[in-house]
Amino acid sequence: MPDIAQRVRDDMMRTLDDLRLGYVDLLLMHWPGPFENRDAAFAREARKTIWETFGELHAKGAARAIGVSNFTTGHLTQLMEDVPDVRPAVNQVEVHPYCRDPELEAFCREQGIVVSAYAPFASGAFDLLRDPVIVAAAERHGVGTGQVILRWHVQSGRTVLPKSSNLERMRQNLDIFGFALTDDEMRAIDALGAGEARRTCPNPADVL
């Protein structure tokens, strides 16, 4: 798929020019493919071509690390079979107390892939920050509910990507290392996502 490979190279060079940088710290394949595609063989071959091109860019120093986003265990397994010499450093996926995939996280840990959580507060949906379990933990530790959620992410072994335009909230988001959640608190928060995942983004499992 030379056209796809060349487009990736061109887009990367254009991005570096726009940023006025010689490299990026992390380059991600944002989705495993378009939702409208129903050709599984094409989707797999496209991911392989893109990932091989990412490997070239990494080898040339245009990206210090390369990873994927919204990849399921199946997508990752295929990718590592198709390009065994280039391992993803990161899998960036939606994770919050109401949206968990323990099997995917366990697989990533076994493969040495860092799980990075986006939408850690469920993008403000589902009234997550007012959940009684999280509110109770916040009151016990004298911190905000957002801090409890971020601490839960960190103690679970994930990197986490909170988003805020509020300066005080940004300070709070950084101030999560002065307390630790107990094992009971961790289990209670884990249990909030034990049922069907409540997502704010499309389900990656729907991508072939």
Side-chain angles (χ1 to χ4, degrees), residues 136-151:
E139 290 175 349
R140 281 192 293 271
H141 293 281
V143 297
T145 52
Q147 289 169 291
V148 166
I149 292 172
L150 293 178
R151 183 69 202 184

Side-chain angles (χ1 to χ4, degrees), residues 19-116:
L19 293 171
R20 297 183 182 180
L21 295 173
Y23 65 89
V24 293
D25 289 320
L26 177 62
L27 177 65
L28 296 177
M29 192 189 314
H30 191 57
W31 282 92
F35 285 85
E36 63 272 15
N37 176 63
R38 296 291 92 191
D39 185 338
F42 172 83
R44 181 169 184 169
E45 187 64 23
R47 285 192 290 270
K48 177 177 182 287
T49 299
I50 292 169
W51 192 244
E52 287 173 335
T53 310
F54 271 36
E56 293 174 13
L57 293 168
H58 179 249
K60 291 177 180 178
R64 285 190 170 181
I66 54 176
V68 296
S69 186
N70 299 300
F71 271 50
T72 65
T73 301
H75 295 135
L76 287 169
T77 299
Q78 287 183 353
L79 194 68
M80 291 187 291
E81 288 175 354
D82 293 342
V83 194
D85 296 333
V86 184
R87 184 64 57 95
V90 174
N91 186 18
Q92 188 182 105
V93 292
E94 179 175 3
V95 187
H96 52 75
Y98 294 163
C99 180
R100 297 177 55 241
D101 189 338
E103 291 79 14
L104 174 62
E105 292 196 49
F107 178 82
C108 287
R109 281 195 296 271
E110 290 169 2
Q111 300 299 323
I113 301 170
V114 173
V115 174
S116 185

Side-chain angles (χ1 to χ4, degrees), residues 156-202:
S156 298
R158 307 177 200 102
T159 64
V160 59
L161 301 169
K163 179 181 177 181
S164 178
S165 59
N166 181 287
L167 184 58
E168 182 55 34
R169 194 72 48 76
M170 292 179 192
R171 291 194 181 101
Q172 289 179 1
N173 289 346
L174 291 170
D175 186 19
I176 61 169
F177 299 102
F179 72 101
L181 298 173
T182 66
D183 290 344
D184 285 344
E185 288 169 335
M186 290 292 293
R187 282 191 289 267
I189 297 173
D190 282 346
L192 297 176
E196 184 176 350
R198 285 184 268 178
R199 298 180 179 277
T200 64
C201 290

Side-chain angles (χ1 to χ4, degrees), residues 11-23:
D11 286 349
M12 182 61 175
M13 294 305 105
R14 190 179 305 111
T15 296
L16 291 177
D17 287 343
D18 290 344
L19 293 171
R20 297 183 182 180
L21 295 173
Y23 65 89

